[in-house]
Amino acid sequence: MRVVSGIQTTGNLHLGNYLGAIKQWVAMQDQGECLFFLADLHALTGNISPQELARSTIEMAATLLASGIDDRAILFNQARVPAHAELCWILNGTARMGWLNRMTQWKDKAGKNREGASVGLFAYPVLQAADVLAYKATHVPVGEDQKQHLELARDIAAKFNTDFEVELFPLPEPFISKAAPRIMSLRDGSAKMSKSDPSDLSRINLSDDDDMIAQKLRKAKTDPEPLPDSFDALAERPEAKNLVTIFAALSDRDPQSVVTEFAGQGFGAFKPALADLAIAVLGPVRERLNRLLADREAVGQQLARGAERASALAEPTLKAAQKAVGLQI
């Protein structure tokens, strides 16, 4: 199994990212060959300064390393591997406008100003396809919001193989871990925890200190009812369900065992226990992150080494694609 996945370079990573994706990435390192990249080329489709992009790339890499990504996987930033952009251009000849026009995220991000949106914003799903197909990935970790883009990558791979009568690209399968929880906002149990939420109280950032973690959990929205003895009974209590889900994910436990332990107790007892647990788990990650950020040059060197390993894997695929379309004479 070869797994490829990318993560945005911008914004602070928060508890939702950590429990929903990064812990899964760390676990995957023992399950197959894994390549994890920072999507700095994708960041160019947004409004970001060169200084912020460079800074964010190093900080995001440091956060992943602090969370447990190590040399079992290949960690790199996308722009250091030219095969991503080169293969994207080749695949632009295979992708179809109608396919891209149907992308839900394109419609959402462009809104009513589609004529004013960048070509990069429209076509970046083709780059996403190249990100995966360059390594002949067999599996891609995806959330619900990215399944459509993976289907596009499969369509592009299948059409390329058919058009040029090759068997170059396998059709990557989605890797959806049942263990990955959906972490919601601390202020609204119906919305995902997000870095774009204007309220910092809605999320726990991996850079938050112990006092801030405790304060945010103490102020997290709940209801006045005690915890039941069944996790299913929380179906209509989204904020309570979210806090139990967070406790279970942080402690690697089943949510039912958490409600069994705290059944009949109110959040005056549950929140302090959750805060202690979150501090115990996230505190060491934050400490490792601070040590890494004290030597940003070393983090950049680690990304460069990862890019060398990734390039060695991607180059044969790129050359095969060039040969298939007639660019290798």
Side-chain angles (χ1 to χ4, degrees):
M1 180 171 71
R2 178 176 287 177
V3 177
V4 176
S5 189
I7 193 167
Q8 293 181 358
T9 61
T10 55
N12 292 327
L13 284 179
H14 51 70
L15 184 66
N17 303 131
Y18 179 76
L19 295 177
I22 298 174
K23 279 189 69 176
Q24 315 307 315
W25 283 15
V26 172
M28 284 178 198
Q29 293 178 116
D30 287 325
Q31 298 180 31
E33 188 176 21
C34 296
L35 295 98
F36 302 129
F37 66 89
L38 306 170
D40 49 358
L41 290 177
H42 288 289
L44 298 178
T45 64
N47 184 20
I48 184 171
S49 71
Q51 296 79 13
E52 182 185 357
L53 178 55
R55 175 185 56 78
S56 294
T57 299
I58 293 296
E59 291 180 358
M60 193 66 72
T63 304
L64 294 173
L65 293 169
S67 300
I69 300 299
D70 56 35
D71 286 341
R72 290 173 293 171
I74 299 175
L75 177 65
F76 62 101
N77 59 305
Q78 188 186 31
R80 287 182 182 264
V81 182
H84 287 245
E86 293 183 50
L87 183 58
C88 175
W89 184 253
I90 292 174
L91 297 180
N92 276 332
T94 299
R96 290 296 178 257
M97 294 283 289
W99 297 354
L100 297 176
N101 265 318
R102 289 194 292 270
M103 294 294 104
T104 302
Q105 287 200 21
W106 156 248
K107 297 175 182 177
D108 292 343
K109 291 182 178 181
K112 296 180 179 179
N113 186 32
R114 294 190 187 182
E115 294 298 319
S118 72
V119 173
L121 183 63
F122 178 72
Y124 86 92
V126 184
L127 178 55
Q128 284 188 317
D131 295 335
V132 172
L133 299 180
Y135 302 101
K136 297 187 177 181
T138 60
H139 292 80
V140 181
V142 292
E144 289 297 325
D145 58 340
Q146 290 296 327
K147 289 178 68 175
Q148 189 183 35
H149 288 172
L150 183 58
E151 287 299 322
L152 176 68
R154 289 169 56 88
D155 289 342
I156 291 173
K159 181 170 173 53
F160 186 97
N161 290 344
T162 300
D163 288 352
F164 297 102
E165 299 180 341
V166 293
E167 295 183 1
L168 178 57
F169 300 122
L171 305 188
E173 298 288 341
F175 187 100
I176 303 175
S177 172
K178 294 180 180 179
R182 183 177 173 86
I183 304 302
M184 313 306 284
S185 164
L186 298 179
R187 308 303 295 167
D188 179 0
S190 65
K192 279 187 69 175
M193 187 176 286
S194 170
K195 66 178 182 289
S196 62
D197 192 307
S199 173
D200 192 56
L201 291 175
S202 69
R203 59 189 170 270
I204 294 175
N205 303 307
L206 296 189
S207 57
D208 286 343
D209 62 28
D210 292 352
D211 289 342
M212 182 60 70
I213 292 172
Q215 177 184 346
K216 287 180 175 180
L217 288 173
R218 186 172 62 250
K219 293 184 176 181
K221 184 178 179 182
T222 53
D223 55 52
E225 298 299 319
L227 286 169
D229 58 7
S230 168
F231 183 65
D232 291 341
L234 293 175
E236 303 301 323
R237 298 170 60 186
E239 285 78 22
K241 180 180 180 181
N242 187 43
L243 294 186
V244 170
T245 299
I246 291 172
F247 194 111
L250 285 170
S251 57
D252 293 319
R253 292 169 56 183
D254 182 88
Q256 179 56 50
S257 72
V258 176
V259 294
T260 298
E261 178 182 348
F262 290 93
Q265 299 185 46
F267 287 96
F270 184 77
K271 284 182 176 181
L274 176 56
D276 289 344
L277 174 61
I279 290 167
V281 173
L282 300 179
V285 175
R286 183 185 63 243
E287 292 172 6
R288 289 193 294 270
L289 174 60
N290 289 337
R291 288 197 297 270
L292 287 163
L293 290 178
D295 190 353
R296 291 171 179 251
E297 184 176 349
V299 176
Q301 291 171 351
Q302 190 150 350
L303 287 177
R305 290 193 294 272
E308 290 179 3
R309 295 169 64 191
S311 293
L313 292 175
E315 191 63 26
T317 309
L318 175 62
K319 287 183 177 179
Q322 291 171 335
K323 182 177 181 180
V325 301
L327 295 177
Q328 286 281 346
I329 300 174

